[in-house]
Amino acid sequence: MDKKSAAATAYICPMHPDVRQSASGKCPRCGMALVPENTRFALLRHMFGSPLHIVIMAAVMVAIMGVVMMMR
């Protein structure tokens, strides 16, 4: 990627696509890190970027599965 195309990159919030900035930073609405526009699976990559997020997702999945199994 050359300097000219890097400078033209817009950064968006994964949760608020209407928030656009010309430089990386944090979303003014929710505080999430801004990601380059046209980044595929940006929200998923953000969620797996932290071990805490992985633990929380696994705990929620196990809890939901337990509730569904108890309902049968």
Side-chain angles (χ1 to χ4, degrees), residues 1-24:
M1 183 183 282
D2 61 352
K3 290 180 183 179
K4 190 174 187 179
S5 64
T9 301
Y11 290 83
I12 61 170
C13 175
M15 296 300 292
H16 304 101
D18 58 318
V19 173
R20 298 172 58 92
Q21 293 183 1
S22 59
S24 63

Side-chain angles (χ1 to χ4, degrees), residues 1-68:
M1 183 183 282
D2 61 352
K3 290 180 183 179
K4 190 174 187 179
S5 64
T9 301
Y11 290 83
I12 61 170
C13 175
M15 296 300 292
H16 304 101
D18 58 318
V19 173
R20 298 172 58 92
Q21 293 183 1
S22 59
S24 63
K26 295 204 177 265
C27 175
R29 290 188 189 173
C30 64
M32 287 182 70
L34 299 177
V35 296
E37 191 173 29
N38 299 327
T39 302
R40 294 186 61 164
F41 307 109
L43 180 58
L44 187 61
R45 190 174 308 127
H46 171 75
M47 291 171 67
F48 283 114
S50 167
L52 178 62
H53 288 140
I54 295 170
V55 170
I56 291 171
M57 287 189 305
V60 169
M61 184 180 72
V62 168
I64 291 171
M65 288 172 49
V67 169
V68 169

